[in-house]
């Protein structure tokens, strides 16, 4: 593109030269005689053109200082004056006034103008060269130029007015006017200079300037110098070419001004676009504080469209106190120059259209345009950054607090663990000192202390394990539809035995028909067990009430409260008791057992489920711990309570052990054998809910009789029953031809509870095996006269411990260290009971049990599994293979029951 242009311009110059030469050749012999009038007309045109060129060049100079334009502008203005003078001297009206005759005056005044202009054009090139060299623009002082040019012009006038001139024409030579070569030389030099400068390739003005120089050069060399007398062909042609050369410069100037205006608009547009697309808000205000411009970023930040803020006082964008004081700031600055923000920048508050305020970074700069001052504010909304900083600080503080809590916790924990352990070691050492002496009263006391401390340690470790699971976020919620009634029953039942002989009642307050809730029943139960346990522990006399509150319409339960009339908690410690290892220091912790972890775990579990655990208490009056399930809609909880029934739990049911009339039985009948009336009632409801008919029996014997009589499709069997235990019932059922084929589902309480779990003929003992529990199991499974026990355990210590316990009962004991050994022993030892560890090398407990059960001889042999706390689901499953199914009471009974019943009864496709 640029190359094309350059070529075109090259051609234009060549064309100009060629046509000049051609015109010269044609015109040199052309006979022509012009007139004074024509000459005056051409000079008037030249004067006007030069004037225009001068003015425009100076305008151009003042819009962008550049010595070339200054010299050209003044040069052309001076030329205009000289040309005007030349026009006047040649007109016939004034010819009397001049000292010289027209044939002299006319060529010399022409020559003066030409020489003057060509010289200044050369000078303009030199000025550019100088600027180039000194690398600075606008070096020449305008005033000097004006003065010199005026002086030159004026002196020309004076010179022509007073000095008689020599002749100008020398017709005796080929070149009639040789003096024209001086300006021609200047034109040539300027032409060479500007061609070498090379700007003509891009710049429109310089292109036309070159053309003008070519035309000027041709005019002087080929035409005017060849004029032999006034007004001949060459004379007039040279005049015409002069006009043409001026016109060229004017064209170039106009083109350049046009180009400049276009560039200015484009750059303005660009600046606008940049300002408008800036993320920052950019606002300009005048000295009075009125908004001049408001870019899109500012619109976005402040929420105002620009129309609404332009010409308004900028204080509308500021909250108090800046809003009120802004004018004072500006006035003070204008008066004293004292800066608050200008040129400094700082964080201030801004106000949005909606009245909200936000932090922003504000940088203000001041611009002076003429005698006007403009302030430009650049604004960045830093709300997000501030927020992030705040969060970071908060997170840091929290992390610090967590670290402190953690180290406090560890310190506490090691202290809590060490204390009982020290006692164990201490007392054992005392006893070891004198092993030959009989124990005596003191010795027994020490042993009791050792045992108690050991138990306490175990409890601590179990709680810490729970806690670590909560902390590690390993606890997963298992949310399901949960019956509140069932939950309450599950919580209350384990305490029944404990309450016997105590002066404390355990009450349940529950609005009738309370709907079930979506929750994790296992975890909620764990929390309630802990709260009730605490309440009972710290209440000597009175009652502990488990109260369920609901909203007014009883559409949903809102809180579960455990209210006691016990010792209460000092106000000061109402918060700390929720921290790990915190117990009320009134000597109570010593008197009452405990780890100080229960409430901490309970609170974590509550949080996990989105509940709140609250406590109210009055010293000596009692405490109330509340689990807030739902934020209360109705504030007066007492109105909800008014409808609740206050009954001791379990509530006796009049028709518990009644057998439903057999005549009305639908095809599927379930026989429910359980000695516990409430459990029976709950289970009955649950099974009926599934659409089956239910028969109930309250003892093993009754169950056997009914099974034979009514031939149910399924039997659910509790194991822990007085008189005839579940496994006995099961054996009888299986031994009887009539009941053999009826599927039996064991429904029993969960393993972790103190009462133990019974799976078919398998019982479970938690490790380390407690003597009393072991004896209970023995009593339960060993009929009189049977005393052969096989202990299968890989740990020698465990075996010895059990052996020791058993020997005191005069049992006949054999032991094996794994399943394989035990199987080998079976043939010759024929045990009446097996105590079995599950995790053993060579052959583990479950494999042993499976193999054992395959032998009909041992299919009913009581096996007591000894296990460290938690069995996995697979293990439970494996053990349960001995019966149709095993269900844990509580937790998930409802759903499990449904699926088992369907599965066992083959109802599912
Ligand atoms: P623990 O009961 O094992 O000591 P908890 O975390 O359950 O641990 O309870 C912490 C402490 O809060 C208790 O030691 C006791 O001082 C106090 N506390 C809890 N429940 C009650 C209550 N119902 N009445 C009086 N004090 C209570």
């Amino acid at each position: 593109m640029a190359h094309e242009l350059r070529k075109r311009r090259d051609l234009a110059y060549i064309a100009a030269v060629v046509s000049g030469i051609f015109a010269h050749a044609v015109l040199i012999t052309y006979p022509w005689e012009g007139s004074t009038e024509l000459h005056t007309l051409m000079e008037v045109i030249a004067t006007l053109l030069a004037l225009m060129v001068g003015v425009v060049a100076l305008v151009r100079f003042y819009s962008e200082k550049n010595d070339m334009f200054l010299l050209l502008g003044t040069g052309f203005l001076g030329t205009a004056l000289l040309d005007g003078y030349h026009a006047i001297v040649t007109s016939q009206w004034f010819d009397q006034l001049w000292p010289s005759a027209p044939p002299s005056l006319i060529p010399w005044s022409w020559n003066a103008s030409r020489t003057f202009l060509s010289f200044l054009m050369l000078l303009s090139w030199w000025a550019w060269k100088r600027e180039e060299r000194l690398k600075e623009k606008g070096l020449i002082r305008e005033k000097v130029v004006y003065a010199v040019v005026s002086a030159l012009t004026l002196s020309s006038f004076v010179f022509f007015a007073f000095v008689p001139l020599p002749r100008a024409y020398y017709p005796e030579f080929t070149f009639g006017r040789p003096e024209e070569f001086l300006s021609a030389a200047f034109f040539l030099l300027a032409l060479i200079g500007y061609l070498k400068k090379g700007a003509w390739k891009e710049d429109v003005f310089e292109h036309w300037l070159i053309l003008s120089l070519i035309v000027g050069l041709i005019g002087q060399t080929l035409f005017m110098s060849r004029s032999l007398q006034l007004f001949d062909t060459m004379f007039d042609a040279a005049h015409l070419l002069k006009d043409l050369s001026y016109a060229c410069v004017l064209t170039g100037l106009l083109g350049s001004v046009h180009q400049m205006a276009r560039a200015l608009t484009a750059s303005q547009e660009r600046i606008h676009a940049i300002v408008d697309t800036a993320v920052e808000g950019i606002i300009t205000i005048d000295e009075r504080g009125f908004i001049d411009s408001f870019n899109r970023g500012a619109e976005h930040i402040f929420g105002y469209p620009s129309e609404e803020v332009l010409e308004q006082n900028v204080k509308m964008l500021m909250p108090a106190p800046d809003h009120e004081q802004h004018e004072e700031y500006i006035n003070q600055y204008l008066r004293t120059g004292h800066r608050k923000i200008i040129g400094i920048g700082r964080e201030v508050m801004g106000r949005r259209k909606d009245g909200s305020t936000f932090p922003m970074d504000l940088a203000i700069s001041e611009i002076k345009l003429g005698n006007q001052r403009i302030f430009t504010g650049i604004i960045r909304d830093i709300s997000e950054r501030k927020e992030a900083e705040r969060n970071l600080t908060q997170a840091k503080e929290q992390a610090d607090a967590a670290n402190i809590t953690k180290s406090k916790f560890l310190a506490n924990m090691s202290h809590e663990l060490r204390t009982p352990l020290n006692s164990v070691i201490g007392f054992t050492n005392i006893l070891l000192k004198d092993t030959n002496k009989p124990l005596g009263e003191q010795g027994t006391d020490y042993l009791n202390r050792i045992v108690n401390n050991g138990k306490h340690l175990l409890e601590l470790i179990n709680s810490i394990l729970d806690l670590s699971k909560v902390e590690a976020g390993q606890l997963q919620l298992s949310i399901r539809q949960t019956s509140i009634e069932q939950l309450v029953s599950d919580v209350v039942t384990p305490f029944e035995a404990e309450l016997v002989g105590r002066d404390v009642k355990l009450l349940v307050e529950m609005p009738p028909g309370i709907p079930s809730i979506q929750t994790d029943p296992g975890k909620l139960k764990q929390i309630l067990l802990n709260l009730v346990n605490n309440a009972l522990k710290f209440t000597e006399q009175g009652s502990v009430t488990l109260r369920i509150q609901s909203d007014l319409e009883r559409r949903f339960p809102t809180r579960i409260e455990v209210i006691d009339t016990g010792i209460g908690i000092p106000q000061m410690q109402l918060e700390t008791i929720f921290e790990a290892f915190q117990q009320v220091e009134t000597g109570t912790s010593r008197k009452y057992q405990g780890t100080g972890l229960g409430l901490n775990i309970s609170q974590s579990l509550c949080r996990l489920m989105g509940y709140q655990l609250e406590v109210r208490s009055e010293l000596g009056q009692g405490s109330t711990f509340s689990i807030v399930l739902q934020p209360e809609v109705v504030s007066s909880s007492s109105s909800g309570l008014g409808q609740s029934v206050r009954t001791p739990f379990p509530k006796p049911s009049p028709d518990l052990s009644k057998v439903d009339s057999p005549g009305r039985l639908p095809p599927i009948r379930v026989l429910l054998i359980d000695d516990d009336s409430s459990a029976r009632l709950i289970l009955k409801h649950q099974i009926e809910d599934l659409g089956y008919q239910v028969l109930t029996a309250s003892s093993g014997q009754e169950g056997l009789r009914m099974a034979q009589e009514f031939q149910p499709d399924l039997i659910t069997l509790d194991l822990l029953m007085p008189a005839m235990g579940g496994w006995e019932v099961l054996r009888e059922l299986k031994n009887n031809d009539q009941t053999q084929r009826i599927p039996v589902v064991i429904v029993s309480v969960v393993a972790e509870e103190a009462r133990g779990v019974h799976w078919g003929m398998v019982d479970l003992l938690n490790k380390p095996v407690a003597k009393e529990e072991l004896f209970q199991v023995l009593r339960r499974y060993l009929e009189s006269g049977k005393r052969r026990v096989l202990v299968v355990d890989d740990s020698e210590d465990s075996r010895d411990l059990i052996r020791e316990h058993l020997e005191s009962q005069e049992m006949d004991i054999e032991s094996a260290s794994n399943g394989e050994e035990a199987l080998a022993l079976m043939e010759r030892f024929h045990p009446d009971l097996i105590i079995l560890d599950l995790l053993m090398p060579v052959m583990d407990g479950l494999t042993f049990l499976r193999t054992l059960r395959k032998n009909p001889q041992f299919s009913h042999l009581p096996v007591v599994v000894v296990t460290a706390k938690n069995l996995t689901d697979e293990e439970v499953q494996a053990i349960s293979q001995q019966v149709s199914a095993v269900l844990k009471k509580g937790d998930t009974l409802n759903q499990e029951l449904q699926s088992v019943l369907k599965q066992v009864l083959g109802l599912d496709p």
Side-chain angles (χ1 to χ4, degrees), residues 614-635:
E614 293 173 352
V615 61
R616 294 194 303 275
S617 185
E618 207 165 313
L619 212 56
Q621 303 289 309
S623 317
T624 300
F625 284 84
S626 319
I627 303 169
V628 185
L629 303 174
Q630 311 236 7
E632 235 120 332
V633 188
V634 187
S635 59

Side-chain angles (χ1 to χ4, degrees), residues 58 61-62 70 74 141-151:
L58 283 181
F61 165 72
Y62 279 109
L70 175 66
T74 44
R141 282 210 301 208
E142 302 131 75
K143 281 183 191 150
V144 175
V145 175
Y146 291 142
V148 170
V149 169
S150 308

Side-chain angles (χ1 to χ4, degrees), residues 534 537-538 564 569 577 582-584 594-596 598-599 623 625:
N534 275 352
K537 187 160 70 175
F538 297 105
D564 67 51
I569 302 159
I577 51 167
Q582 294 302 316
Q583 294 173 317
V584 177
T595 59
L599 284 178
S623 317
F625 284 84

Side-chain angles (χ1 to χ4, degrees), residues 13-24 114 184 187 191 211-226 238 241:
Y13 304 152
I14 293 168
V17 174
V18 170
S19 33
I21 293 171
F22 180 72
H24 169 262
R114 297 267 68 194
F187 278 134
L191 176 63
L211 272 178
S212 151
L213 286 169
I214 291 173
V215 173
L217 179 64
I218 290 172
Q220 290 303 94
T221 48
L222 295 183
F223 291 83
M224 195 49 111
S225 62
R226 300 297 302 271
L241 286 176

Side-chain angles (χ1 to χ4, degrees), residues 456 459 463 530-539 562-564 566-570 573 576-586 588-589 592-602 615 617 622-625:
H456 182 63
E459 201 185 330
S463 297
N530 179 50
L531 295 180
V532 173
N533 186 40
N534 275 352
L536 288 171
K537 187 160 70 175
F538 297 105
T539 307
V562 178
I563 308 155
D564 67 51
I567 61 169
I569 302 159
Q573 275 164 295
T576 50
I577 51 167
F578 289 101
E579 289 168 20
F581 299 114
Q582 294 302 316
Q583 294 173 317
V584 177
E585 293 286 346
T586 49
T588 54
S589 344
Y592 306 100
Q593 292 284 322
T595 59
L597 291 173
L599 284 178
N600 188 262
I601 295 172
S602 298
V615 61
S617 185
S623 317
T624 300
F625 284 84

